[in-house]
Amino acid sequence: IQSRSPAVSRRALMRTAAGGVLVHAIGRRGAAVTRASAGELMDEEGALEIIRRIPLGTTLNSAGPEVASAVNTLVGLSQTNTPITSQDWSGRWHVVYAPHIRTLSNMFSANFDVEYVIDGERAMTSNVKYTHPLLGSGWLSSSGSVGSSDAQTSVVNFDSFWVDPVDTAQPDLKPDLSRGWRRWVNDAGKVGFISDISRFPVLYFKGDVCIFKFPALNVLIATRREQSRQ
């Protein structure tokens, strides 16, 4: 166990950073690219087309100014007048726009691609695929639930955390977290999870596209539901 702990520590540090410890370091840079200029805005169908044509699996790190403009257009339409049900959330969602995570990618010379899997009962798993020139590739995962504090605000509560330091096309199911280095990673994740910043106002929701706000950094996050695999 001790021979693996340095590598595990480095991976745990990546999860901690992605989870919010570097809030002050990335906040200003993330907020600066959240809004596109008003002159770049387009109509709803054009904005949805831009988001829907992003190839899944190469989502987050390819999101540039055109995607930012599309996100802002949709947020301006405020398509969240009715409560969002558990069935509305069900599916596998890919993050296609997240300025703060792109900033983290640049800071660590790494790539991060993020997906959320939500079932009809609002059980939720988050999987982050990381690729780094020194640490290699693998998955940072967490699971728990997603609820609501009101009709348009989602609340995430993660209670399990694990690392899969293997480059696979898809993440593995949650392993046994009760022993060895996996127990250490799980305990560290629980300590690092901050429930007070895990409330996300939903600003746009239509079919396979959802945009919500991360208030702690004042950034927008856009996700797209994968239709072929639930």
Side-chain angles (χ1 to χ4, degrees):
I1 296 174
Q2 291 181 350
S3 64
R4 301 184 66 173
S5 60
V8 172
S9 297
R10 288 192 293 270
R11 297 184 188 106
L13 177 60
M14 291 178 67
R15 167 164 289 286
T16 302
V21 168
L22 295 182
V23 162
H24 295 293
I26 67 177
R28 294 179 181 176
R29 294 177 65 185
V33 294
T34 300
R35 296 287 181 182
S37 66
E40 297 174 347
L41 299 183
M42 59 202 75
D43 63 24
E44 182 178 17
E45 289 306 313
L48 287 171
E49 174 62 24
I50 288 172
I51 291 177
R52 286 169 175 161
R53 73 180 182 222
I54 299 173
L56 297 181
T58 57
T59 53
L60 183 61
N61 298 297
S62 61
E66 184 182 44
V67 178
S69 180
V71 167
N72 286 306
T73 295
L74 297 177
V75 168
L77 298 174
S78 300
Q79 295 289 330
T80 55
N81 295 324
T82 59
I84 302 170
T85 68
S86 296
Q87 290 302 317
D88 290 332
W89 285 118
S90 182
R92 185 180 301 267
W93 296 83
H94 295 261
V95 174
V96 296
Y97 178 76
H100 62 303
I101 302 181
R102 292 194 69 195
T103 300
L104 280 173
S105 297
N106 294 332
M107 290 174 63
F108 289 100
S109 299
N111 290 330
F112 299 102
D113 283 297
V114 186
E115 68 171 25
Y116 307 120
V117 182
I118 305 173
D119 68 17
E121 301 301 320
R122 290 203 174 190
M124 177 177 179
T125 300
S126 169
N127 298 305
V128 180
K129 177 68 177 289
Y130 68 86
T131 304
H132 188 273
L134 297 180
L135 298 177
S137 298
W139 295 89
L140 308 172
S141 298
S142 55
S143 66
S145 62
V146 55
S148 301
S149 61
D150 57 52
Q152 304 302 335
T153 302
S154 294
V155 180
V156 174
N157 181 32
F158 288 134
D159 53 24
S160 298
F161 304 84
W162 65 97
V163 175
D164 183 11
V166 180
D167 186 7
T168 56
Q170 300 297 330
D172 289 336
L173 298 176
K174 182 170 70 174
D176 181 4
L177 304 179
S178 64
R179 61 184 64 190
W181 66 274
R182 291 193 182 277
R183 178 178 179 179
W184 183 89
V185 170
N186 187 38
D187 289 344
K190 290 180 179 180
V191 172
F193 180 72
I194 306 172
S195 58
D196 288 344
I197 63 172
S198 298
R199 299 174 180 271
F200 307 97
V202 178
L203 305 181
Y204 181 91
F205 192 108
K206 186 173 184 179
D208 60 341
V209 175
C210 176
I211 302 171
F212 55 91
K213 186 176 183 179
F214 184 16
L217 295 179
N218 192 33
V219 296
L220 301 177
I221 299 173
T223 62
R224 192 174 109 215
R225 177 162 35 201
E226 180 179 343
Q227 300 292 349
S228 61
R229 180 166 52 93
Q230 298 285 327

